[in-house]
Amino acid sequence: MPLDVEEITGAELAPLEHRCTPQTFILYALGVGAGVDPDDLRFCYEGPPGLAALPTFGTVPSLSTALSLLRLRAVDVTPMMLIHGEQHLHILRQPPVPGSLITRSKVKGVFDKGTGALIEVESETRDGSGDIIYTNVLGTFVPGEGGFGGDRGPAAGNEPPDRDPDRVIEMATLPQQALLFRLSGEVSPLLHLEQEHASRAGYEKPILHGICTLGFAGRAILREFCDNDPRRFASVKARFSGHVYPGETLLTEMWDLGGGEIVFRVRTRDRGAVVVSNAVAFVTA
Amino acid sequence: MPLDVEEITGAELAPLEHRCTPQTFILYALGVGAGVDPDDLRFCYEGPPGLAALPTFGTVPSLSTALSLLRLRAVDVTPMMLIHGEQHLHILRQPPVPGSLITRSKVKGVFDKGTGALIEVESETRDGSGDIIYTNVLGTFVPGEGGFGGDRGPAAGNEPPDRDPDRVIEMATLPQQALLFRLSGEVSPLLHLEQEHASRAGYEKPILHGICTLGFAGRAILREFCDNDPRRFASVKARFSGHVYPGETLLTEMWDLGGGEIVFRVRTRDRGAVVVSNAVAFVTA
């Protein structure tokens, strides 16, 4: 079997350093669609009143852990077999702007989803003084590698309540969104840029990165429930349940459950496909 | 007088090094609107068949020379008083991708345009082996500093012939185009990002960099007259005669004069304003 579940579990991945300049944060913000609304300027410009990081920038230091899995002896699969399935980000502090971030990661576990295996990697990202800035759990789905008799893991949860959403925000992605987003992180280009690979996987054309779509949703939550103040955005958890074609318009539907708990979902406006599900953010007053 | 014309002329500016990674070229291409058409992929992706630089990337190494002028003792003006007026780029070789570029610049002359002074800086950009890749002449207009009794300089020329253009290409800029473009070079953010400065200068909102608009026009010429092959694009010269608001749609009107000489002009589609004039590109078969 291409995955040696016993050996993978607990495996440590090589630590990663991210040197973040103002450009790093700006490029990410533009990559997830910021910069159209004048209120976005603080995420896209280092001039007065000063640059801030979008909350979901916190997912960036963990992104290359999916590709790092391929360097483990116990993981004998190709990049095409790895699908970014889930992400869970906690933001403990605002990152230094500019500054360095160090990320240490290890495999938390491998769940047996039947149709595939879900490899969870947990990461801690610290600044130069050792303070934890972000923690992430990144779930990579490996189709066809389930059925090994392992734990299924917890149910996803965070289903929307049975009523209309409290807020719906519409945001357009750009036809060139994937080209722009990928400049922010070490993410596989294959399905996202190459027509041949996308076609082989059954898509009409290259698809947007799920974690990019999550950045759009994060901006919607930040605007609607945090008054655009990133310090009020504590965490976000989501499942990437469908594909987005760059250029599609996204609807982020949000339900305020009280106590700072915002359940949300992202659909493509024209196809109506649910692309981010089982999703929740926690915000503070 | 804030400009000491005698002392400026011939002044050498500090040499500049640009370390160009694939991301450098990709970011520039996205900054001038590439990435929407699948044919653009070779300018936006380092995967097969390999990354190429857009011809007008050649203007990037010269851009910060305008701000370098401010470091000369003989130039006592503020960044707000410097307007990028003209650009003349020759492409002698394709740049190394990736690789380092070294640019040496000096003030070629100062022309007395009556309503202002035009400072021309000429630059040579070489690769690591010393081969010249690009030459540029960048003209900076300083309003109010004319009338010193100097040479007016040559007439701009390159007026379109008195007939309909042979080709017209329409391209939309993005509302966030200036935010994205500026990540490619050291250019003044004031008029281009800050509402307060733009208003004070009489604009409704921040304006796009003229050299970004030239990048859009360069893409139109490359597609229409060079079959998207950057090796066939030899030079481009243009005057920035009007402003573009990010989000406006541009019309590049092109006249083929024969012998590889393409005279062109850029207008905003909805306002009809001429924003790039007195412009010519030379292409090879």
Side-chain angles (χ1 to χ4, degrees):
Chain A
M1 164 166 166
L3 295 181
D4 182 336
V5 173
E6 287 288 316
E7 195 180 324
I8 296 169
T9 303
E12 294 194 6
L13 306 180
L16 296 163
E17 180 171 5
H18 285 80
R19 289 174 196 215
C20 301
T21 65
Q23 175 165 326
T24 309
F25 298 100
I26 294 169
L27 193 53
Y28 175 80
L30 296 172
V32 298
V36 178
D37 191 298
D39 290 346
D40 293 341
L41 198 58
R42 64 179 306 206
F43 304 113
C44 303
Y45 178 42
E46 71 283 9
L51 182 65
L54 280 173
T56 54
F57 175 82
T59 60
V60 169
S62 73
L63 287 185
S64 61
T65 61
L67 290 175
S68 297
L69 284 175
L70 297 173
R71 289 180 209 116
L72 295 177
R73 200 164 40 92
V75 177
D76 180 23
V77 300
T78 69
M80 281 292 285
M81 292 172 67
L82 301 179
I83 295 171
H84 193 169
E86 299 179 3
Q87 186 84 25
H88 190 175
L89 162 71
H90 278 92
I91 301 155
L92 286 85
R93 289 177 182 77
Q94 297 305 301
V97 179
S100 258
L101 297 173
I102 309 286
T103 300
R104 291 178 189 279
S105 308
K106 67 176 182 191
V107 178
K108 189 180 170 192
V110 183
F111 294 118
D112 183 350
K113 296 294 185 185
T115 57
L118 183 73
I119 309 175
E120 286 194 346
V121 173
E122 61 184 3
S123 302
E124 269 186 3
T125 299
R126 295 171 188 263
D127 67 10
S129 70
D131 284 336
I132 300 183
I133 309 294
Y134 304 121
T135 67
N136 276 280
V137 177
L138 186 152
T140 296
F141 189 70
V142 191
E145 297 305 323
F148 54 86
D151 182 4
R152 271 197 73 84
N158 301 310
E159 295 291 348
D162 189 19
R163 57 177 166 88
D164 285 343
D166 298 313
R167 309 277 178 96
V168 181
I169 290 284
E170 182 173 313
M171 291 177 174
T173 67
L174 298 172
Q176 64 270 49
Q177 201 76 55
L179 290 164
L180 183 54
F181 176 76
R182 71 181 283 265
L183 298 180
S184 280
E186 199 196 334
V187 285
S188 170
L190 301 179
L191 281 183
H192 305 291
L193 299 188
E194 299 194 5
Q195 180 67 56
E196 187 192 326
H197 280 97
S199 299
R200 212 180 303 154
Y203 300 112
E204 281 171 38
K205 48 185 179 175
I207 61 174
L208 195 59
H209 307 79
I211 196 74
C212 175
T213 302
L214 185 61
F216 278 80
R219 288 177 45 233
I221 294 163
L222 184 69
R223 187 187 298 173
E224 294 300 306
F225 293 102
C226 305
D227 199 20
N228 253 343
D229 181 351
R231 292 168 302 181
R232 293 178 52 194
F233 195 116
S235 71
V236 62
K237 182 179 184 182
R239 168 173 287 186
F240 307 124
S241 42
H243 62 276
V244 172
Y245 293 120
E248 286 193 299
T249 293
L250 305 173
L251 297 175
T252 301
E253 302 170 318
M254 296 164 273
W255 290 263
D256 182 354
L257 301 195
E261 183 177 2
I262 314 296
V263 162
F264 68 101
R265 180 167 73 183
V266 182
R267 287 190 297 121
T268 58
R269 187 190 60 189
D270 296 342
R271 284 187 296 126
V274 174
V275 294
V276 172
S277 67
N278 306 97
V280 66
F282 284 88
V283 303
T284 60
Chain B
M1 162 164 170
L3 295 182
D4 182 334
V5 173
E6 287 289 316
E7 195 179 325
I8 297 168
T9 304
E12 293 194 6
L13 305 178
L16 297 162
E17 181 172 4
H18 285 79
R19 288 173 198 215
C20 302
T21 64
Q23 176 165 326
T24 310
F25 299 99
I26 295 169
L27 193 52
Y28 174 80
L30 296 172
V32 298
V36 178
D37 191 297
D39 289 346
D40 293 342
L41 198 58
R42 64 178 307 203
F43 304 114
C44 304
Y45 179 42
E46 72 283 9
L51 183 64
L54 280 173
T56 54
F57 175 82
T59 61
V60 169
S62 72
L63 287 185
S64 61
T65 60
L67 291 175
S68 298
L69 284 175
L70 297 172
R71 290 180 208 115
L72 295 178
R73 200 164 41 90
V75 177
D76 180 23
V77 299
T78 67
M80 280 293 283
M81 292 171 66
L82 300 179
I83 295 171
H84 193 169
E86 298 178 4
Q87 187 85 25
H88 191 174
L89 161 70
H90 277 92
I91 302 155
L92 286 85
R93 286 178 184 77
Q94 298 305 300
V97 180
S100 259
L101 296 174
I102 310 285
T103 299
R104 292 181 187 276
S105 307
K106 67 176 182 190
V107 178
K108 188 180 170 192
V110 183
F111 294 118
D112 182 350
K113 295 295 185 184
T115 58
L118 183 73
I119 308 176
E120 286 193 346
V121 172
E122 60 183 3
S123 303
E124 270 185 3
T125 299
R126 295 171 188 264
D127 67 10
S129 70
D131 284 336
I132 300 183
I133 309 295
Y134 304 121
T135 68
N136 277 278
V137 178
L138 186 151
T140 297
F141 189 69
V142 192
E145 297 304 323
F148 55 83
D151 182 5
R152 271 197 74 83
N158 301 309
E159 296 290 348
D162 190 19
R163 56 177 166 90
D164 285 345
D166 299 312
R167 309 278 177 96
V168 181
I169 290 285
E170 182 174 314
M171 291 178 174
T173 68
L174 298 172
Q176 63 270 50
Q177 201 76 53
L179 291 163
L180 182 56
F181 176 76
R182 72 182 281 267
L183 299 180
S184 280
E186 199 197 334
V187 284
S188 169
L190 301 179
L191 282 181
H192 305 292
L193 299 187
E194 299 195 4
Q195 179 67 54
E196 188 191 324
H197 280 98
S199 298
R200 211 180 302 155
Y203 299 111
E204 281 171 36
K205 49 185 180 176
I207 62 174
L208 195 59
H209 307 79
I211 197 72
C212 175
T213 302
L214 185 62
F216 278 80
R219 288 176 45 233
I221 294 163
L222 183 69
R223 189 188 298 172
E224 294 301 306
F225 293 102
C226 306
D227 199 20
N228 254 342
D229 181 351
R231 292 168 301 179
R232 293 179 51 194
F233 196 115
S235 71
V236 62
K237 183 178 183 182
R239 168 173 287 185
F240 306 124
S241 43
H243 62 276
V244 172
Y245 292 120
E248 286 193 300
T249 293
L250 305 174
L251 297 176
T252 300
E253 301 169 319
M254 295 164 272
W255 289 263
D256 182 353
L257 302 195
E261 183 177 3
I262 314 296
V263 162
F264 67 100
R265 180 166 74 182
V266 183
R267 288 190 297 122
T268 59
R269 187 191 59 189
D270 297 343
R271 285 186 295 125
V274 174
V275 295
V276 171
S277 67
N278 305 97
V280 66
F282 284 88
V283 302
T284 58

